[in-house]
Amino acid sequence: MINLYYDSRTGNVERFINKVIQVTGWKAIRIEEHMEISEPGHLVTYTTNFGKVPDKTAQLLTMQSHMIYSVTSSGNRNWGRNYAIAADKISTEFEIPTAMKFELSGTLEDINQFIDIIKNQYYDSKRGSEKLDIA
């Protein structure tokens, strides 16, 4: 079973996650303050304030980044170079590979690409895989 941990403020990431679990049946858990992860998984988050990692996401990673295999971030292309930059910042700070970036709640193509990346390019769940850095 693949576990997805997600953070959503406006509902865009949650809509993306709901589409993914509809297709795959994977387990999705919304990040809460002071949450502890018991099983490793993949992180899907958003970018806020023109390039900031959300507080709950940062808090989770500070304590349990070793449980996260990859990071995916939503964003808005209107932000230019800050588009979905939370994934880049997380990847750099916590040495977690970036799976992908998507705009707002993602398209059907984004959903399929995400599923393919997690299922086929990261099936072995070895952290630090160079295969994932395709975003």
Side-chain angles (χ1 to χ4, degrees), residues 73-112:
S73 181
S74 74
N76 188 319
R77 292 190 193 277
N78 291 339
W79 294 357
R81 62 188 169 106
N82 287 334
Y83 163 70
I85 200 167
D88 299 331
K89 290 181 175 183
I90 290 167
S91 182
T92 298
E93 184 174 347
F94 297 98
E95 298 179 352
I96 298 171
T98 300
M100 67 176 282
K101 298 176 183 181
F102 62 92
E103 188 168 24
L104 303 173
S105 61
T107 63
L108 182 56
E109 184 178 326
D110 294 329
I111 301 297
N112 290 330

Side-chain angles (χ1 to χ4, degrees), residues 1 17 19 22 30 37 40-41 46 48 51 58 62 64 66 70 80 86 96 106 108 125-126 130-131:
M1 172 65 68
I17 289 292
K19 293 174 200 170
Q22 255 184 334
R30 188 177 187 133
I37 295 176
Y46 61 97
T48 190
T62 298
Q64 299 186 46
H66 65 283
S70 74
I96 298 171
L108 182 56
S125 298
K126 289 183 181 171
E130 294 301 315
K131 287 192 257 180

Side-chain angles (χ1 to χ4, degrees), residues 29-59:
I29 300 158
R30 188 177 187 133
I31 297 171
E32 300 295 336
E33 277 192 50
H34 309 293
M35 184 172 127
E36 290 190 30
I37 295 176
S38 60
E39 298 177 41
H42 302 271
L43 173 65
V44 182
T45 191
Y46 61 97
T47 301
T48 190
N49 294 334
F50 302 101
K52 186 174 180 254
V53 174
D55 291 338
K56 283 191 284 185
T57 298
Q59 181 186 66

